[in-house]
Amino acid sequence: MLAMQHYNSSGVIAPFSLSNQTPTVQETEVEAVSSNATGSANNPTAAGLSMTLGILFNVVALIILAKAYSRYRRRSKATFLLLASSLIATDLAGHVIPGALVLRRYSVHTQGSTDDSVSTFRGDPENPDASCLFLGGCMVFFGLCPLFLGCAMAAERCLGVTKPLLHARLVTTARTKMALALIWLLALCVALLPYFSLGAYTYQYPWTWCFIRVVEGTRDTDLAFVMVFSGLALSSLASAFVCNTISGITLVRARLKKKKPCSQRSSAGSQDTEMVVQLVGIMVTSCICWSPLLVFALMSATKSYSGMLDSDRDTFRGLMVTGVRMATCNQILDPWVYILLRRAVLRKIYRITKRRASFKGSTFRSVRWDISSVQTSEKSSVNNI
């Protein structure tokens, strides 16, 4: 999902003639200029570079998680690390597979003849090819999986913080792997709905990526499909918010009640705090990155189905591109959330901040002491006179 975020950097492109009538000379010239501008701006180098960086970040996070999992394999944190590793691995696959398909589509287009029209590059919206169907399915699958996994991680930590004994009895490695398989299966079932005549995938502006048909020719099945997709995604975000809020409140109350905690409980509490902080970071990142695309898709499908999108079609095309760019950023930020919000990193940040604060405080105290000593010496000299 990464490679498509750089393909619309040429700015606003004039709308294409969608009617069956013969276009005027002015419209033909505008389309030709738009096609040339799009082709000149669609440089795959920047997209390939950002995709490579995203893959690198996810691989680094996977290595850190693998080392942590080997240390905590028999502890309660092992379940969280297994889910986090699955999340990062899914983000990594979401970079490689859709990104490679988008880059391949662009390379095929740029290597073709210069007389190819934009309409040919867009493909047939009624009968998309196999690559478009596969790319659209990947977009839905790799979009839902991270949100489902974030919700599962939040629910697991909520149970571990509020009911630790029940968590120890119910949550096992085997059951966690079964839950992961069910999550991936659910996301796959949703992605395959167009193959059962519920909704359809089609090329999206600027015709380098595929998604649910929400801008042009939206039907009742497309509206139902986008409502299922957006509803599941927004429900996952809302559930993660509720679980993380409960976990945070429980941890704060436990900290306030503890007067003299033992070292073992203190260590367990710090691990819980670390995991909840990471979950909050993942949740906030997912909300910021995914909410625009989910909301824009719902709005666009509703307006298109009701026939009120004709005048705002170009606006919603731009909104969809912005939404998918922001959703793509989620796969880049997820590994950094885990890497930066680890306990070791937070301790270093706290020590550096504390040192700077103590240095500023000591400097301020020394300056105050110098001023007060000068004032005292001046008063004593005046008294002597």
Side-chain angles (χ1 to χ4, degrees), residues 82 119 134 158 175 186 214 272 298 306 311:
L82 181 59
S119 60
F134 183 72
C158 183
R175 290 176 178 174
L186 176 59
V214 295
D272 288 335
L298 276 175
S306 59
S311 59

Side-chain angles (χ1 to χ4, degrees), residues 249-265:
I249 293 174
T250 304
L251 287 175
V252 170
R253 292 176 63 183
R255 291 272 181 172
L256 294 177
K257 288 182 180 179
K258 287 180 181 179
K259 296 182 179 179
K260 295 181 179 180
C262 62
S263 59
Q264 184 176 1
R265 291 182 179 179

Side-chain angles (χ1 to χ4, degrees), residues 96-245:
V96 175
I97 299 175
L101 291 173
V102 173
L103 288 176
R104 177 182 176 276
R105 175 167 170 76
Y106 169 75
S107 64
V108 169
H109 173 61
T110 54
Q111 292 174 4
S113 63
T114 56
D115 296 332
D116 291 340
S117 63
V118 177
S119 60
T120 302
F121 184 53
R122 289 176 57 183
D124 186 1
E126 296 297 330
N127 299 302
D129 53 16
S131 62
C132 179
L133 295 176
F134 183 72
L135 179 57
C138 288
M139 292 287 295
V140 172
F141 177 79
F142 290 113
L144 287 177
C145 278
L147 302 180
F148 287 167
L149 289 171
C151 179
M153 293 166 66
E156 185 270 336
R157 272 301 87 202
C158 183
L159 181 62
V161 170
T162 57
K163 303 290 183 181
L165 297 179
L166 182 62
H167 176 273
R169 188 169 67 251
L170 292 180
V171 180
T172 61
T173 302
R175 290 176 178 174
T176 303
K177 292 179 180 179
M178 187 180 299
L180 285 172
L182 291 175
I183 287 172
W184 286 325
L185 181 61
L186 176 59
L188 181 62
C189 290
V190 176
L192 292 178
L193 286 179
Y195 293 90
F196 298 96
S197 301
L198 182 60
Y201 297 123
T202 185
Y203 285 108
Q204 305 287 328
Y205 177 82
W207 329 125
T208 54
W209 61 291
C210 290
F211 195 59
I212 307 170
R213 185 167 51 193
V214 295
V215 179
E216 297 179 76
T218 305
R219 302 172 182 173
D220 51 355
T221 54
D222 301 318
L223 182 60
F225 184 26
V226 75
M227 289 179 69
V228 170
F229 172 73
S230 299
L232 288 173
L234 292 173
S235 298
S236 299
L237 291 173
S239 300
F241 175 78
V242 172
C243 292
N244 288 329
T245 302

Side-chain angles (χ1 to χ4, degrees), residues 2 11 29 32 38 46 51 62 84 99 116 118 176 193-194 199 203 237 266-267 298 308 310 312 319 364:
L2 175 64
E29 292 177 352
T38 305
M51 190 174 96
L62 277 176
D116 291 340
V118 177
T176 303
L193 286 179
Y203 285 108
L237 291 173
S266 178
S267 177
L298 276 175
M308 298 186 300
D310 294 336
D312 299 329
L319 290 177
F364 180 71

